[in-house]
Amino acid sequence: MRSMSATGTLVLMNRFAFPSLRIVDNQAPANTLVAPPAHTVFHQRCQLHYWLSSPRLAPVVVLTHGEGANHHRFDAQVQALARSYRVIIWDIRGHGQSKSEQPFTLHQAVDDLRALLVHAGYPNALFVGVSVGGLITQLFAYR
């Protein structure tokens, strides 16, 4: 659940969030975590949004959600994986915060994933995908 604190800070009010986050509002409940800042890359007329977890030098895992979902699909998995991996979650084109007026295609999503990884500076990663996200990661590996 998202809400605004008295100071205007966007906060997450659930137990599934990035473990490396910190509380900024001293009046917030103990289980309130600040939403991590989204990283963005502009690729082929779309502002793609992605988020990184710690630890910085760990192996990278990219989680790709399915059709009609967004990066929050993996909140529980990020909590577990972020202890040992650098986790990247993202909103595929036309989903969540990655708004697009172009039609969604699998090949476009693969190109978006490649652009995101180049922008983030991670040439190698492990990939996990659900539904259409699984197809995107398979096509990415095939290319």
Side-chain angles (χ1 to χ4, degrees), residues 54-66:
S54 296
R56 196 174 290 271
L57 299 177
V60 177
V61 176
V62 179
L63 306 177
T64 304
H65 63 80

Side-chain angles (χ1 to χ4, degrees), residues 5-7 23-30 32:
S5 71
T7 60
I23 296 173
V24 237
D25 184 349
N26 292 334
Q27 304 303 314
T32 303

Side-chain angles (χ1 to χ4, degrees), residues 41-48 93 99-103 108 112:
V41 58
F42 192 77
H43 182 249
Q44 296 185 0
R45 298 178 13 197
C46 180
Q47 190 81 25
L48 299 168
R93 179 180 294 263
K99 306 291 185 223
S100 176
E101 294 184 18
Q102 293 178 286
Q108 180 64 58
D112 290 344

Side-chain angles (χ1 to χ4, degrees), residues 89-107:
I89 53 176
W90 64 301
D91 284 339
I92 61 177
R93 179 180 294 263
H95 294 74
Q97 294 182 31
S98 296
K99 306 291 185 223
S100 176
E101 294 184 18
Q102 293 178 286
F104 174 86
T105 68
L106 288 173
H107 293 288

Side-chain angles (χ1 to χ4, degrees), residues 104-126:
F104 174 86
T105 68
L106 288 173
H107 293 288
Q108 180 64 58
V110 170
D111 290 341
D112 290 344
L113 178 55
R114 181 169 284 105
L116 181 152
L117 290 172
V118 167
H119 184 265
Y122 295 105
N124 299 307
L126 304 168

